[in-house]
Amino acid sequence: MSAQRPQSTLRHRHRQGGAVLLCTLAAAVLSISAIAILRAGTHQRQRINSLRTAAQARQTAAGLIARAEAFVHQDTAFAGNVVDPTAMIPGAFAVVTNDGMGNVTIAAYLYPGATAAAAAKRITLP
């Protein structure tokens, strides 16, 4: 009988070792899955913020151009900078260039010191 006890104990220990290994593997898989889900959520939030910022920039530029165009239609000799104090992007402005012969160019910039216009429009006045 004493010979059976060591075999029984070895089998029991072998089963315990297998259970520990299985639990460790399950914990590792769950941890990796949780990290992947968290990273995907962070990536999605960053993507949404980027899309929101791009939409705000487009809307601000379109609003500045529309405002500047209204100024030009009110005064056909108007030339200069147009600022919208209610714009979503503070510091955004539009530059109106009037050549005096009915050709007007409006360029919208999203921040002071910008060298590239976010949007532009040419108007020919009657």
Side-chain angles (χ1 to χ4, degrees), residues 48-118:
I48 288 170
N49 285 338
S50 176
L51 291 172
R52 181 183 301 120
T53 303
Q56 286 177 341
R58 281 191 304 272
Q59 290 173 353
T60 299
L64 283 168
I65 288 178
R67 187 178 182 94
E69 190 174 358
F71 279 30
V72 168
H73 285 298
Q74 217 172 23
D75 179 11
T76 57
F78 179 80
N81 290 351
V82 176
V83 178
D84 185 1
T86 63
M88 290 181 268
I89 300 175
F93 63 98
V95 177
V96 178
T97 309
N98 193 338
D99 68 358
M101 297 175 12
N103 297 318
V104 178
T105 303
I106 303 169
Y109 298 90
L110 297 178
Y111 58 92
T115 57

